[in-house]
Amino acid sequence: MALRPSEMHVRDQRDAPLWTPSPSRAGRSNMMRFLQAVRERLAPWIRGYSDLHRWSVDHPETFWPEVWRFCGVIASRPWTDVLPEGDRMPGARWFVGARLNFAENLLRFRDDRPALVFRREDGLRSGLSYRELYGTVARMTVFLMEAGVREGDRVAGILPNRPEAVVAMLAATGLGALWSSCSPDFGEVGILDRFGQIGPKILFVSDGYRFKGRSYRTLERASHLLKALPTIEQVVLVGGLEPEPDLSMLPGAIAFDSIVSGDDAPDPAFRQLPFDHPVYILYSSGTTGRPKCIVHGAGGTLLQHLKELLLHTALRREDRFFYFTTCGWMMWNWLISGLAAGATLVLYDGAPLYPRPDALFDLAEEEGISVFGTSAKYLASVEKAGVIPARTHRLERLRTVLSTGSPLAPESFDYVYRDVKADLQLASISGGTDIISCFALGNPLLPVYRGQLQCRGLGMKVEVFDDEGHSVVGRRGELVCTAPFPSMPVGFWNDPDNSKYHATYFKRYLGVWAHGDWAELTPREGLIIHGRSDAVLNPGGVRIGTAEIYRQVERLPEVLESIAVGQDWQDDVRIILFVVLREDLTLDRELRETIRAAIRDNTSSRHVPAKVIQVNDIPRTRSGKLTELAVRDLVHGRPVKNVDALANPEALEQFRGLEELEA
């Protein structure tokens, strides 16, 4: 049941945390071990996380090598200089002289413990041990070498979240090639907008996928893509639907299983490469034009992921680590780095709420998942559906829930601790594709407060700037990072002078990374994300984050989800709110006033929308994020530039030419 407004005000005023780690849990965490090591060897004045974070951003040339050593980065050659030109942003270089291989670090374990467990929505289950994963990657590596893959080549995948995608990525990056992937539900234009820019040499593609009980075959689309991607020299076909996929539609294609079966291959000759050698190409959402191709370096990605997974997430070998993601979202890359911790990764392919809203909690119980990653939207959806896992599921092993994709509403914090499990760490995390990691995230040493991300990440000099570029606490502003960090992009593809890269992140504040989030640092040194700063509403000159409105509207039982945009109106901006209601409900005058009252009573009169309009669906990107900019364009009669970047482009039609917006 949703909290009444009066109850919410009381809850917001409480100082008590929702959860606090026990001394034993905090004491045996990797974060505590790291803190103690730093205190003993380098900084005896450090007492807690606040001190540790301050030291990490004040002394990056000491902090990051300490992370390297603590996390056991495998390298064939040490660095000669940690951070030359560290005062340049962008332009700082990291660990100059070091040589390492990304895949080698993820394949450090080669025993019989399970590495990957794959589950499909229809119950299909398979997996690989660490020994089997290593051998499979070795055989795929031989194939790619014989196919002519060399350092700097691009290898791409259009694949479901299956073990084959992991194997292909590790074999490619082991040779120094760059890996890039899309999920198979992308349309032809969306795939060409991405892969057409980077020119892959090898393409891994599945014959199809399942979603909400239906099978979707993709070979006809793949044959069209091959004609439009002339750089592809070899296609590898993965059986996403059939164990032995039909090769006839893709002349010259080779079945994945025929490559990796048979005798053991020699150990991969992992190419030893510079710290900043490219490893991944990821893509911006592409809702305002062709997506930007963001190139990430091997060393920075590895070091940042190790810090976040081992220290902030407290991942360990005995964990079973799950994140609901596709191969087209950066959380897939983040999840797969869990191999470097020796954990068992649980990969899932299918719809999160199918065949029942509690399907992923069934998965958590059956597989003994201990670290469960999902989205804020998912948690809100299962609460609306009345799912109460605390009553229906045995979740003894579950100790951490991670949430990202959009701001996690305070009410979702209440839901997790009330209806999922009282004794767990709920870590809302925030970063993005741009940095392939997090600016703020969880911490096993700190309490969880309602509506707040626990802390800024170690080594991340995150601040909040006001409009004049002053750092503020307790006030809303632009989320920025004021010092270099290793996982900054190497650059953008086809941007030789870095002009697009500079314009994207460094145009607003010289020498400062502006991330595009509207945020607030709290006196407890936590963080609140209020939405995207490019979607901030500005009625009467007062800047309002859209998440502030969503938190109030979506706690109402009648409302499933909502999206708010600003409409230019009479030399000002007025707020337009679109709502999706429960089935068979119609927006009437009484419900409109209930929505407006909930917003007014819990925020301010300036937050109250001028118009509340019912729609059947809201457009989203393929990673599940609301496309506020696309809706804003439609409200103003402007075309949406890249419809194929959306998961549900048909939803756009509801926002065109609305009579309600003419008065």
Side-chain angles (χ1 to χ4, degrees):
M1 178 180 290
L3 295 173
R4 295 191 299 272
S6 60
E7 294 174 321
M8 292 176 63
H9 279 308
V10 171
R11 187 62 175 272
D12 285 339
Q13 293 167 3
R14 293 177 184 171
D15 290 329
L18 297 176
W19 177 84
T20 302
S22 66
S24 61
R25 176 168 174 167
R28 64 176 180 267
S29 68
N30 291 327
M31 183 70 83
M32 179 59 78
R33 291 175 47 234
F34 181 76
L35 185 152
Q36 291 170 340
V38 170
R39 183 166 56 201
E40 291 171 4
R41 297 194 325 100
L42 299 166
W45 54 272
I46 289 177
R47 290 294 174 264
Y49 183 78
S50 179
D51 292 339
L52 183 63
H53 181 266
R54 189 180 315 115
W55 172 81
S56 73
V57 298
D58 288 346
H59 303 281
E61 71 289 341
T62 307
F63 164 72
W64 288 105
E66 195 66 14
V67 172
W68 181 300
R69 285 185 283 265
F70 184 88
C71 297
V73 172
I74 299 169
S76 61
R77 188 188 306 171
W79 60 86
T80 56
D81 198 341
V82 174
L83 185 55
E85 302 177 277
D87 58 344
R88 296 183 59 194
M89 187 175 182
R93 295 184 297 154
W94 293 90
F95 295 97
V96 174
R99 293 292 185 274
L100 54 80
N101 184 274
F102 183 81
E104 183 179 16
N105 276 273
L106 270 59
L107 289 169
R108 65 182 66 194
F109 297 100
R110 299 165 194 179
D111 54 23
D112 291 323
R113 286 200 185 202
L116 304 174
V117 171
F118 170 64
R119 292 284 300 267
R120 199 167 65 181
E121 67 172 31
D122 60 354
L124 179 70
R125 186 182 191 275
S126 63
L128 292 171
S129 70
Y130 271 92
R131 189 185 311 280
E132 291 168 333
L133 176 61
Y134 183 80
T136 305
V137 172
R139 289 187 285 276
M140 182 57 68
T141 300
V142 171
F143 169 79
L144 292 181
M145 290 177 63
E146 293 175 348
V149 173
R150 301 291 183 264
E151 295 173 19
D153 286 339
R154 279 76 64 207
V155 177
I158 310 171
L159 298 170
N161 183 17
R162 300 174 55 98
E164 291 90 342
V166 182
V167 170
M169 180 277 287
L170 291 170
T173 57
L175 292 172
L178 287 71
W179 172 258
S180 190
S181 57
C182 295
S183 57
D185 60 334
F186 272 58
E188 285 185 37
V189 175
I191 294 171
L192 289 174
D193 279 349
R194 289 158 174 78
F195 294 167
Q197 294 188 67
I198 67 170
K201 177 180 282 189
I202 309 292
L203 179 67
F204 289 80
V205 62
S206 73
D207 64 342
Y209 63 99
R210 291 182 61 87
F211 193 80
K212 290 186 178 180
R214 291 182 58 191
S215 295
Y216 295 86
R217 301 188 180 278
T218 56
L219 289 184
E220 183 177 356
R221 184 189 61 194
S223 67
H224 296 162
L225 289 169
L226 291 180
K227 297 173 184 176
L229 294 171
T231 60
I232 293 175
E233 298 177 5
Q234 180 65 65
V235 176
V236 179
L237 186 56
V238 173
L241 293 177
E242 304 295 338
E244 297 182 6
D246 181 8
L247 297 172
S248 61
M249 292 189 66
L250 302 175
I254 300 176
F256 183 99
D257 286 349
S258 69
I259 296 170
V260 299
S261 60
D263 297 333
D264 288 340
D267 289 344
F270 296 112
R271 301 283 169 82
Q272 301 301 301
L273 301 161
F275 184 86
D276 60 357
H277 182 80
V279 66
Y280 287 138
I281 300 177
L282 275 59
Y283 305 92
S284 64
S285 59
T287 53
T288 57
R290 280 214 306 175
K292 293 183 283 289
C293 305
I294 306 170
V295 183
H296 288 290
T301 301
L302 174 67
L303 199 59
Q304 188 78 293
H305 285 186
L306 288 173
K307 180 204 74 179
E308 293 179 345
L309 293 169
L310 271 65
L311 303 185
H312 285 276
T313 312
L315 197 65
R316 53 200 183 206
R317 279 227 78 184
E318 56 267 33
D319 279 323
R320 292 204 159 204
F321 179 26
F322 164 79
Y323 218 107
F324 181 77
T325 183
T326 70
C327 293
W329 189 23
M330 65 139 287
M331 295 312 300
W332 182 84
N333 308 77
W334 200 76
L335 168 67
I336 303 310
S337 288
L339 292 170
T344 298
L345 309 187
V346 179
L347 312 178
Y348 184 79
D349 180 37
L353 304 177
Y354 179 85
R356 298 177 309 279
D358 61 354
L360 293 187
F361 289 108
D362 290 345
L363 177 73
E365 177 180 347
E366 293 162 7
E367 298 296 343
I369 290 170
S370 52
V371 179
F372 180 98
T374 185
S375 66
K377 175 60 181 172
Y378 171 80
L379 292 174
S381 296
V382 291
E383 180 182 12
K384 291 278 186 181
V387 175
I388 307 178
R391 297 181 186 173
T392 57
H393 291 73
R394 296 174 61 87
L395 301 174
E396 294 93 343
R397 292 200 63 191
L398 183 63
R399 61 181 176 82
T400 301
V401 170
L402 306 170
S403 171
T404 194
S406 59
L408 185 64
E411 292 73 27
S412 291
F413 282 75
D414 298 334
Y415 167 71
V416 168
Y417 284 106
R418 181 186 66 238
D419 291 341
V420 178
K421 189 175 181 179
D423 184 20
L424 58 73
Q425 178 189 3
L426 174 58
S428 179
I429 65 179
S430 182
T433 296
D434 313 77
I435 64 170
I436 202 167
S437 58
C438 305
F439 281 125
L441 63 172
N443 192 319
L445 306 184
L446 298 179
V448 174
Y449 290 95
R450 186 174 188 262
Q452 296 185 30
L453 286 72
Q454 284 181 281
C455 68
R456 292 169 287 181
L458 289 174
M460 308 296 281
K461 199 169 184 179
V462 173
E463 301 179 52
V464 172
F465 277 9
D466 64 14
D467 289 341
E468 287 71 45
H470 301 136
S471 184
V472 295
V473 175
R475 291 166 49 195
R476 296 163 192 188
E478 186 83 24
L479 176 69
V480 300
C481 192
T482 59
F485 50 95
S487 65
M488 291 171 62
V490 173
F492 291 170
W493 196 260
N494 292 329
D495 183 27
D497 62 355
N498 284 327
S499 58
K500 295 179 183 178
Y501 178 43
H502 282 248
T504 301
Y505 307 113
F506 303 99
K507 183 177 180 180
R508 183 167 184 187
Y509 306 106
L510 183 63
V512 171
W513 177 291
H515 193 59
D517 280 341
W518 191 241
E520 176 184 353
L521 279 171
T522 72
R524 297 188 180 102
E525 300 188 38
L527 196 72
I528 300 172
I529 305 293
H530 294 289
R532 293 291 296 172
S533 59
D534 55 11
V536 162
L537 308 171
N538 199 27
V542 177
R543 302 188 77 186
I544 294 171
T546 52
E548 302 171 58
I549 294 174
Y550 303 152
R551 286 168 185 161
Q552 309 311 323
V553 176
E554 294 178 16
R555 68 177 180 81
L556 297 172
E558 298 90 346
V559 180
L560 294 177
E561 59 182 350
S562 60
I563 189 168
V565 299
Q567 181 191 20
D568 297 335
W569 188 256
Q570 297 178 353
D571 298 321
D572 197 356
V573 173
R574 65 178 183 176
I575 298 174
I576 310 299
L577 177 69
F578 298 94
V579 294
V580 178
L581 303 181
R582 286 187 177 278
E583 191 174 359
D584 300 327
L585 288 181
T586 300
L587 185 65
D588 56 19
R589 180 175 180 180
E590 181 180 358
L591 183 52
R592 278 193 179 92
E593 290 309 310
T594 298
I595 291 170
R596 287 188 169 114
I599 296 170
R600 182 186 300 109
D601 292 347
N602 294 288
T603 55
S604 77
S605 59
R606 291 189 180 276
H607 290 70
V608 178
K611 300 281 185 177
V612 182
I613 300 171
Q614 182 177 358
V615 292
N616 296 323
D617 197 8
I618 292 173
R620 294 179 176 276
T621 66
R622 295 184 180 275
S623 60
K625 297 180 181 179
L626 297 175
T627 56
E628 292 156 326
L629 297 183
V631 172
R632 190 172 69 190
D633 282 341
L634 291 171
V635 163
H636 289 95
R638 298 189 292 263
V640 178
K641 294 182 180 179
N642 196 345
V643 173
D644 206 68
L646 302 177
N648 55 341
E650 66 280 358
L652 295 173
E653 293 306 313
Q654 302 171 91
F655 301 88
R656 298 184 193 274
L658 294 173
E659 292 184 4
E660 297 100 312
L661 300 182
E662 298 299 322

